Amino acid sequence: MMGTIPPEHGIFLAILLFLLGLTGVLVRRNVIFMLMSLEIMLNAAGLAFIVAGAAWGQVEGHVMFLFILTMAAAEVAVGLALVLRMYHCFKTLDVDAASKMRG
Amino acid sequence: MKRRRRMSKPFCREDWNHETGNRDMNTLFYMASFVAVLSTVLAISRLNAVHALLYMAVSLMAVALVFLTYGAPFAAALEVLIYAGAIVVLLIFVVMMLNRGPATLREERDWLRPGMWVGPGILSLILLGELVTVFFQTPEIGLAGRAVEPKAVGMALFGPYAIGVELASLLLLAGLVAACHLGRGEEPKKSGEESEK
């Protein structure tokens, strides 16, 4: 085993961060906080890929991390545009205000 | 599969000191992960969006340091550049755009209380100390045992994963078009109404 730090610990950290992000998405009702929690979850997924890639000494982990990074950037751009549009429509950032399909 | 493994093998750096490096890297890893978890908990529990963003930036930088301890300096740099740089700045822009009106000045004064800088400041000082430790003990610690170099990542990206790069560019283009369309304001709605009339 060549790894410096046991990969289980890194995976555990990724799980912990993912669960924290999930808690944030489920608990908070402010759209900005939900987007932030989504970013934390995506970041935790990227961390899991990097840890796995380091454990096997392969570059695939980095490749997947780059794809996750791209996806997170696109997601936050579209999400924030939607947040701005929702604020113009409802004058609030509460997601429950936008729970009806017909605005 | 076998060919690829043999191809990426020379990029792994395996000559480093196990006894001292192991312990130091472990300490760095556990401190960084502690900071990451703590700042994430604080980020999702703040009531104020700007304070939460401060803690989130600290959390992302702590995760970047975890990448560094796992021998991924390229990923750590990308994490700081794109997550802690671009994405957090985008979120801050939107938070600032959504807080117009006469109450903004009072809110701003409320947000910029010096006491609020202490928490993120202490956490990022821990991270800075770890980073300085890494830089000054480079020969012993190195950037971990099996550093994956950017060259190998680039070779894999534009070799076997070229279709993924194309799909990612397509996704970014779609995101760009969607953000432009959604953020265009009220004009398209008016023109749509006019055309309906």
Side-chain angles (χ1 to χ4, degrees):
Chain A
M1 186 62 209
M2 281 300 298
T4 61
I5 301 153
E8 293 86 5
H9 296 187
I11 296 288
F12 184 72
L13 173 66
I15 291 173
L16 209 57
L17 287 179
F18 191 89
L19 285 181
L20 283 175
L22 189 64
T23 313
V25 172
L26 292 178
V27 170
R28 302 306 294 255
R29 294 266 69 86
N30 187 326
V31 190
I32 300 277
F33 282 94
M34 293 176 76
L35 271 179
M36 282 172 53
S37 305
L38 277 179
E39 290 304 315
I40 289 170
M41 287 166 72
L42 285 174
N43 190 31
L47 173 65
F49 270 111
I50 288 286
V51 170
W56 293 99
Q58 300 284 308
V59 294
E60 274 78 5
H62 283 66
V63 172
M64 289 312 292
F65 175 71
L66 278 176
F67 289 154
I68 288 178
L69 208 65
T70 315
M71 207 264 291
E75 177 254 339
V76 79
V78 176
L80 288 177
L82 279 172
V83 168
L84 285 180
R85 175 46 63 94
M86 184 186 140
Y87 187 74
H88 283 307
C89 287
F90 299 106
K91 299 294 170 205
T92 176
L93 287 176
D94 186 8
V95 278
D96 291 334
S99 60
K100 289 177 187 159
M101 291 293 277
R102 287 172 57 87
Chain B
M1 195 48 122
K2 201 178 231 175
R3 188 182 58 84
R4 198 186 302 152
R5 183 163 302 166
R6 215 173 36 234
M7 199 179 74
S8 62
K9 201 71 178 172
F11 297 114
C12 301
R13 202 186 304 154
E14 293 184 356
D15 49 334
W16 73 296
N17 193 344
H18 275 266
E19 286 84 27
T20 58
N22 221 341
R23 200 183 55 237
D24 287 350
M25 288 313 271
N26 272 335
T27 317
L28 287 179
F29 169 75
Y30 291 122
M31 279 172 69
S33 46
F34 172 72
V35 171
V37 171
L38 185 64
S39 54
T40 307
V41 168
L42 288 170
I44 64 170
S45 63
R46 290 302 93 180
L47 294 180
N48 200 320
V50 174
H51 300 161
L53 279 170
L54 266 180
Y55 278 114
M56 188 186 160
V58 175
S59 158
L60 295 174
M61 285 191 280
V63 173
L65 208 58
V66 170
F67 287 170
L68 203 62
T69 59
Y70 267 106
F74 183 53
L78 281 179
E79 172 94 9
V80 172
L81 276 177
I82 297 182
Y83 266 111
I87 290 179
V88 170
V89 165
L90 260 182
L91 284 163
I92 286 176
F93 273 160
V94 170
V95 168
M96 286 179 170
M97 280 174 72
L98 293 184
N99 280 285
R100 283 172 299 187
T104 306
L105 204 67
R106 189 170 44 78
E107 272 182 351
E108 201 72 31
R109 199 171 293 134
D110 206 31
W111 288 350
L112 288 181
R113 273 203 318 271
M116 271 304 158
W117 301 349
V118 172
I122 288 173
L123 291 178
S124 24
L125 268 183
I126 296 176
L127 292 182
L128 182 66
E130 291 192 39
L131 199 62
V132 168
T133 314
V134 168
F135 275 133
F136 279 109
Q137 299 188 350
T138 305
E140 287 79 19
I141 300 182
L143 293 175
R146 329 179 74 180
V148 178
E149 292 179 8
K151 184 181 173 187
V153 179
M155 297 278 280
L157 263 183
F158 289 95
Y161 292 98
I163 185 74
V165 176
E166 296 294 329
L167 286 176
S169 66
L170 210 64
L171 176 73
L172 281 179
L173 180 66
L176 182 70
V177 171
C180 279
H181 177 71
L182 288 171
R184 202 162 39 169
E186 295 301 313
E187 283 150 342
K189 198 174 160 191
K190 265 185 220 160
S191 67
E193 281 175 4
E194 279 170 11
S195 68
E196 274 177 17
K197 282 172 192 172

